[in-house]
Amino acid sequence: MMNTLLVGRITDDLKIHKTEKEKSYTDMTVAVPRSYKNEDGVYEIDFIKCRLWGALADNTVEYCSKGDLIGVKGRIETRTYEDENGKHYVQEVVADKVTFLSSKQKEKENSDEMNI
């Protein structure tokens, strides 16, 4: 188990899924810019898969959307699954806490109001 803290933007619209036992979860990808520039002078971005469970998933889906800036505290977890193509390994951050930092929609609304 490794604890991690990410700050980045949600890359897609979120939706709730349910397990067979009706436990809610959501999967999201967070775009996290690196803290240094590459040789071309550009900040590269890592796309980190995250899984949220229960009330944390429900609240995040309700209040956040694509483009919103969030902080995610959690642990890195590896899980496996098999399909017709063989065994697959998935590494993701299982979130313990999500902090809503800013809304892309609210930023747009505020800038539109200032341009009136």
Side-chain angles (χ1 to χ4, degrees), residues 4-11 14 28-33 48-52 56-57 59-60 63-65 67-75 93-103:
T4 188
L5 179 63
L6 307 170
V7 175
R9 295 202 180 270
I10 300 171
T11 62
L14 304 175
M28 68 178 175
T29 302
V30 179
V32 179
I48 312 294
K49 293 183 179 289
C50 300
R51 178 162 282 187
L52 288 64
L56 183 60
N59 289 333
T60 303
Y63 295 107
C64 293
S65 59
D68 287 354
L69 184 66
I70 62 169
V72 178
K73 179 182 171 285
R75 68 184 186 282
V93 173
V94 177
D96 297 321
K97 182 176 181 179
V98 173
T99 303
F100 310 148
L101 300 173
S102 73
S103 168

Side-chain angles (χ1 to χ4, degrees), residues 9-54:
R9 295 202 180 270
I10 300 171
T11 62
D12 294 301
D13 290 324
L14 304 175
K15 61 183 176 181
I16 286 291
H17 304 281
K18 298 280 186 178
T19 65
E20 291 176 2
K21 295 183 179 181
E22 293 298 311
K23 186 169 184 178
S24 59
Y25 71 94
T26 191
D27 292 316
M28 68 178 175
T29 302
V30 179
V32 179
R34 294 184 182 176
S35 60
Y36 56 89
K37 295 179 181 179
N38 64 17
E39 64 264 357
D40 297 324
V42 175
Y43 290 102
E44 293 181 6
I45 297 173
D46 293 305
F47 295 90
I48 312 294
K49 293 183 179 289
C50 300
R51 178 162 282 187
L52 288 64
W53 289 97

